[in-house]
Amino acid sequence: LTVENIVFDKDELYFVIEIENNSTLDYDLNFLNLSIETRQKGKRKSLQRLYQEPIYKHSLPSKIKENEMARFVYVLPKFSLSDDRRAILELNEKDGERNIEMKLSHRYINNPN
């Protein structure tokens, strides 16, 4: 799972995402979620995740065949993150256990191309 690029245009952020399947089994995509995680430091740590609904998903595959790569675009409303927040990309496999979570720093989101 790779975020190749984040492009800002008007009031939208375009996430160019790439999934590469290096295994010998096909990967059935269940869902790909992007959420904002609030991190609190100190004794009373708490995590809160707020799911971000995409405006548009361009060429999102339902299956990635063995040793193949898929590239697609997620369009989200423009947002920025403070230092104590980060974006989480969560990739979930249908009827499987190959789930991937990718953490994106606030610096990466706040400075798109």
Side-chain angles (χ1 to χ4, degrees):
L1 178 65
T2 314
V3 174
E4 228 172 61
N5 202 352
I6 300 176
V7 180
F8 168 70
D9 183 41
K10 296 181 181 117
D11 289 335
E12 298 164 339
L13 282 174
Y14 294 80
F15 286 77
V16 181
I17 301 167
E18 194 173 86
I19 301 173
E20 190 174 354
N21 185 3
N22 293 326
S23 72
T24 54
L25 295 168
D26 291 353
Y27 190 92
D28 294 319
L29 188 71
N30 188 16
F31 63 81
L32 178 76
N33 282 344
L34 188 119
S35 50
I36 306 298
E37 186 177 75
T38 307
R39 296 178 296 164
Q40 289 186 342
K41 296 178 175 77
K43 266 187 179 173
R44 297 187 190 148
K45 288 182 184 165
S46 74
L47 288 173
Q48 181 185 14
R49 281 195 182 175
L50 300 168
Y51 171 66
Q52 299 292 311
E53 184 67 42
I55 301 169
Y56 178 69
K57 301 171 187 175
H58 180 70
S59 64
L60 180 68
S62 59
K63 178 182 282 208
I64 298 147
K65 298 200 181 296
E66 59 180 88
N67 296 315
E68 284 194 8
M69 185 185 304
R71 182 182 288 144
F72 53 94
V73 178
Y74 253 43
V75 183
L76 289 136
K78 180 181 83 171
F79 65 92
S80 63
L81 298 174
S82 59
D83 292 359
D84 61 342
R85 292 173 182 237
R86 63 183 170 197
I88 308 281
L89 258 177
E90 187 180 359
L91 182 68
N92 187 282
E93 184 183 23
K94 188 177 184 183
D95 303 325
E97 302 214 351
R98 294 180 291 175
N99 301 326
I100 302 169
E101 216 173 72
M102 181 180 182
K103 296 170 173 66
L104 297 169
S105 166
H106 62 89
R107 288 184 199 95
Y108 199 52
I109 303 282
N110 294 347
N111 301 312
N113 292 338

